[in-house]
Amino acid sequence: MAVPPVRRRRRASLVAVAAVFLAPALISLIVLRLAPAAVALWESLFRESFLRGGTVFVGFENYADLFGNADFNNALLVTLVFSAIVNPLQIAVSFLLAVLYTRKAAGAKVWRSLVVLPIAVPPAVSAVVWSVIYRPDGLGNSFLDLLGLPAQPFLTSPQQSLASIMVLLSWIGVGYWMLFLIAGINDVPNELYEAASIDGASAWRKLWSVTFPLVRRPLAFVLVADTVSNFLIFAPVQILTKGGPSGSSNLLMYDIYTRAYTLGDLSKAQAEVIILVILTLAVVALQFRLLRSSDAA
């Protein structure tokens, strides 16, 4: 059936209005994200030539050299271990705090404000604060001394440096992700909880069968955003450990910085950026697939 001219003109007008409103975001996306990514991909296929001068096309040799480099492989492994631990940890703590702080309990708003407070502090400032806490004579070891426990070399131990950074990042991020989950939990209709209570469901049963399924979308957003954020961590590593000791906290973002600005190997740094982007997209796509499978089930 043919669309009437009046409806066609109205639809075209709506499309034009939508294009005007979307234009700034689309232009910013192209200029600030897609164009730099395309440039990085192109430049990763070249290498500086001291014999010929300038750069020469080498194809995927920069990528092959990276995967044959022990420092890069260590950074890749550290990043995967870091992401596998810190993402579920932060999401689980954020979800539990969101459930706790949506209960009608005395002082809940005060405790919620204290958890959210670190969001107002820039990550670099938080890293400086925690560098003082982690000092041998800092607040961390003073607290352990009160408990009768021995002092710990938080940032100078290869076994503790990555965990110390995870604690710092969780202190910064948990309150932020909790806010999204609180909004999702508050949208769950009270009638469902009342019906569950009439059926004699326990608090755990309500959490598992009512709350958790209905906040799956906010959880999916938080999981993906948290994963991307943690793949791009740089300032805390640069301030606290500089990737050490012995490369134990050398995440890919810091390795890219070192390769580009300390070693001066921009071509391989660009190749490493592309690998980090591909790794991030692969993990996010896997998360989407798992969440979609859960929805289908």
Side-chain angles (χ1 to χ4, degrees):
M1 185 175 65
V3 180
V6 175
R7 186 176 295 179
R8 264 205 312 270
R9 283 198 295 273
R10 184 178 299 171
R11 185 179 299 173
S13 174
L14 289 174
V15 171
V17 171
V20 169
F21 278 102
L22 288 174
L26 292 175
I27 292 172
S28 300
L29 177 66
I30 294 171
V31 173
L32 300 177
R33 301 292 182 187
L34 298 181
V39 171
L41 176 61
W42 177 251
E43 292 186 351
S44 70
L45 305 177
F46 290 81
R47 181 180 296 174
E48 292 284 341
S49 173
F50 296 105
L51 296 178
R52 299 180 186 178
T55 58
V56 294
F57 182 79
V58 295
F60 292 99
E61 282 188 18
N62 288 325
Y63 295 88
D65 289 346
L66 279 176
F67 283 106
N69 182 285
D71 291 336
F72 169 77
N73 288 328
N74 175 68
L76 185 61
L77 178 63
V78 170
T79 303
L80 290 174
V81 171
F82 170 78
S83 298
I85 296 174
V86 78
N87 294 331
L89 175 69
Q90 290 184 351
I91 301 301
V93 174
S94 300
F95 181 71
L96 291 176
L97 288 177
V99 172
L100 183 65
Y101 291 148
T102 48
R103 302 288 173 84
K104 293 179 181 177
K109 291 184 178 179
V110 175
W111 289 108
R112 186 167 63 189
S113 301
L114 290 176
V115 174
V116 172
L117 196 59
I119 301 173
V121 183
V125 177
S126 297
V128 172
V129 171
W130 278 81
S131 70
V132 176
I133 294 175
Y134 283 143
R135 285 172 50 176
D137 57 348
L139 186 62
N141 278 326
S142 297
F143 181 71
L144 292 177
D145 187 51
L146 283 177
L147 298 177
L149 299 173
Q152 298 297 317
F154 296 108
L155 299 177
T156 55
S157 164
Q159 288 76 36
Q160 297 184 19
S161 59
L162 192 61
S164 301
I165 290 175
M166 289 180 189
V167 172
L168 161 61
L169 295 177
S170 299
W171 181 75
I172 297 173
V174 160
Y176 182 71
W177 304 123
M178 180 190 73
L179 292 179
F180 293 96
L181 298 176
I182 285 177
I185 293 173
N186 285 335
D187 283 341
V188 178
N190 283 327
E191 292 79 5
L192 296 178
Y193 291 115
E194 292 170 0
S197 298
I198 292 172
D199 291 341
S202 63
W204 168 253
R205 188 67 180 173
K206 290 179 189 174
L207 175 66
W208 183 254
S209 300
V210 179
T211 306
F212 188 73
L214 293 180
V215 296
R216 184 166 291 167
R217 289 183 183 280
L219 267 175
F221 165 75
V222 167
L223 178 60
V224 171
D226 187 39
T227 301
V228 174
S229 171
N230 284 325
F231 267 121
L232 303 180
I233 287 299
F234 171 73
V237 178
Q238 203 270 340
I239 293 172
L240 291 180
T241 64
K242 299 189 185 309
S246 305
S248 58
S249 61
N250 189 27
L251 299 174
L252 275 178
M253 272 302 293
Y254 186 75
D255 196 59
I256 292 169
Y257 166 82
T258 305
R259 201 172 299 280
Y261 297 106
T262 302
L263 303 179
D265 195 344
L266 290 176
S267 298
K268 287 182 184 171
Q270 301 276 29
E272 199 167 347
V273 168
I274 297 301
I275 293 171
L276 178 59
V277 171
I278 292 173
L279 179 64
T280 305
L281 292 176
V283 172
V284 170
L286 178 63
Q287 290 172 343
F288 271 118
R289 185 173 180 81
L290 292 175
L291 290 169
R292 193 165 52 190
S293 300
S294 300
D295 286 339

